[in-house]
């Protein structure tokens, strides 16, 4: 399911080098453009919205909880 979600997000949200981007999920979704950090944030939000426990790890990459452990979310 995580692969389906990230594919859906990549189709709708463009990742770009933006000066001072918003990392608010609703703004990212409305503008459909963000930087790498914003994409990871909206990815975590999307995973959580379908009931998948998710978080940002220490380097800011999305992780989800499965099989009793935290795993890197697929890109």
């Amino acid at each position: 399911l995580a692969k389906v979600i990230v594919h859906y997000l990549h189709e709708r949200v463009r990742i770009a080098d933006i000066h001072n981007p918003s990392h608010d999920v609703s703004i990212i979704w409305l503008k459909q453009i963000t930087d790498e950090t914003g994409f990871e944030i909206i990815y975590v939000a999307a995973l959580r919205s379908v009931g998948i426990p998710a978080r940002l790890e220490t380097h800011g990459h999305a992780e989800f909880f499965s099989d009793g452990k935290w795993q890197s979310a697929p890109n």
Side-chain angles (χ1 to χ4, degrees):
L1 185 56
K3 287 182 182 181
V4 171
I5 291 169
V6 75
H7 179 73
Y8 180 86
L9 291 174
H10 277 298
E11 287 181 346
R12 284 156 183 81
V13 178
R14 188 166 64 97
I15 300 170
D17 186 19
I18 303 170
H19 176 69
N20 200 21
S22 173
H23 290 152
D24 179 275
V25 172
S26 60
I27 292 173
I28 293 169
W29 190 248
L30 285 172
K31 291 186 175 187
Q32 297 184 333
I33 188 169
T34 190
D35 63 358
E36 292 280 345
T37 301
F39 189 84
E40 295 294 324
I41 290 168
I42 202 168
Y43 190 7
V44 167
L47 290 169
R48 289 177 177 176
S49 77
V50 295
I52 299 173
R55 67 180 185 187
L56 291 177
E57 50 101 84
T58 57
H59 299 289
H61 300 288
E63 294 183 317
F64 67 99
F65 196 77
S66 181
D67 298 326
K69 62 184 177 185
W70 287 101
Q71 302 177 37
S72 293
N75 293 324

